[in-house]
Amino acid sequence: MLGKALGRKPAETRVELPSFKPISDQPQGPDILRVLGLRRLVRWKYGRLVFQLPLLLLAVFVIIDGFTGVQYASRNVATTSVWLHYRGLLVIAIAILGNAFCAACPLMLTRGLSRRLERLLPAKLSWPRGLQNKYFVIGLLVLFFFSYEAFNLWESPWLTAWLAVGYFVAALAVDTLFPAGTFCRYVCPLGNFNFTLSTVAPTQITAVNHDICRSCEHKPCLHGRETYETRGAFDAITHQGPVRRSAFIPTSEIRNANGEGYFPGCETNLFAPAIQSNMDCTNCFNCIRACPYDNIALTLRAPAREATRSPWLRRGGIAVMVMGALLAFYGLLNAAAMVAPFHVLANNFANLTGITSDFTLLVLLFGATGILGIALPGIVSLAADRLGGNSSSTFKEAFQRWGYVLVVLGFGFWAAHYLYHFLTGALSIAPVFQHFFHIRGLGAAPDWELARLVPGRALFPIPAAVTLLYTLLATVITFRIGLRDFGRNGVLAMWPVLLFIIGFAVLGMWLLGQPMEMRGTILVN
């Protein structure tokens, strides 16, 4: 009454909307797709196809030249593009953007044929429960590394072409017999190599507004969606329509409409707002295209973020950590096999033991590396826990706590090693393609002077700088884990890990500093 008498308007009643906590702890950085101006292209229904077609075309060249071209590694598209360019560009892409090569994987173009073939089956098979972890693909990874050394894959265009064909056949067969995503998550060794290394990447799939995800009924980012201009194209009650794979969401409910039809969800069963790790994320961006609210982003984050939050405890567990540790040690072995001191050591061991078979010697080396790759980091981790005052932790618990440090070191060394070889012959792809067309009567003779991207004197400093950068990152992560889990005692707990980091870095630098076998490059051949 007094308010009316004084001529004042009554106060408006404010309704407080319920505020939800985030579904998971996700970075809040900018959307890199928006920054680069790629968001509209990525959300387009055929956006992924744009990135897949160039790699599919390259795969065709690899297979044709591998089978019919000159069987000379430095002159063949198969060996040059796969063992020199693909590996170098892969680590560069991961360090800058994330898992870009899985995003553009041409193997997934077999999905159309696999869907036709699966109609001949009574039902899809279930991937065996005992293999729903990383141990099977760890075995395939080790087999891949072993085959690379045992059969000298880098110098055989013919075997490289067969490897490419085998990959396409395997992807087709697995995706025909088992649910989509099985090949990527449980079978593909290169994909899991990318998954593990991309945990150090500066990007991650995230939900922009978790409240929207909570209120979303159908979770299309996970299960997919179907969209048509009118509801008549799809009856939500009778489920009659041109496609019946997932929930129907009318075009009118789509923000920034990105086309009609079927939009698949995540095939590796990642729920976008719950993602805390790049493990198993192929960056296919199905979730971004399927989300009707345009609520999913590829977010910029700190490269150390994932390593200090222990996300593998919730997805993958100890098997994923074992894979990360083995990758680091097999990275050292892969580089060591290219330097003279290693061959001297191997010959001395063979003479001492009386082993005359190179194959047997290689089996023993790979077995010893695998055992050392688990035992040594585990012992160091256990020592760190004991110094930190945790006398009850098990080998497994300690290994899962400190193992992220080794993953970062492993990425640093793989990146340095692959970059070293890439820099020796990055421009050689031009004369190699010239050679491809020239020997078939098309185009001029190749200019073989094109090869090295940087001067020889810079070949060591650049990879060494990469190794040093990720060594420092591993050191920072060690400090964070120690102080996070042990408080003041963390200063003591981190010392065994710091000594391990120094030893790993010194060994890596020493290997990079040795005269290295330049496999399959023009500079040698």
Side-chain angles (χ1 to χ4, degrees), residues 398-409:
F399 188 46
Q400 286 185 292
R401 185 194 322 280
W402 298 100
Y404 294 99
V405 176
L406 185 56
V407 174
V408 175
L409 289 173

Side-chain angles (χ1 to χ4, degrees), residues 14-27:
R14 296 185 60 186
V15 178
E16 295 290 340
L17 296 176
S19 178
F20 298 110
K21 292 182 179 180
I23 295 174
S24 66
D25 178 25
Q26 293 187 323

